[in-house]
Amino acid sequence: MQPTYRPSRIKRARKCGFRARKATRGGRKILRERRARGRHKLSD
């Protein structure tokens, strides 16, 4: 069996990074909500 979690920084950034969030309407909503909550880290 192979490990199920193989972390890759590039894949993670493309999926969950700031620019990926900014690119879609839903992503921008997430950033807005996180700002409203006062998060220090908005995305990876």
Side-chain angles (χ1 to χ4, degrees):
M1 266 179 73
Q2 63 178 356
T4 52
Y5 182 57
R6 282 259 174 88
S8 157
R9 280 169 193 248
I10 292 172
K11 268 190 189 174
R12 189 176 174 88
R14 283 190 184 145
K15 192 171 187 280
C16 324
F18 183 77
R19 290 176 65 97
R21 295 267 195 255
K22 276 302 253 195
T24 62
R25 202 161 151 244
R28 287 192 291 275
K29 182 173 182 276
I30 291 168
L31 291 178
R32 257 203 319 278
E33 295 293 326
R34 285 172 75 91
R35 278 199 184 96
R37 285 189 74 173
R39 293 259 181 179
H40 289 299
K41 210 174 153 188
L42 298 176
S43 61
D44 277 341

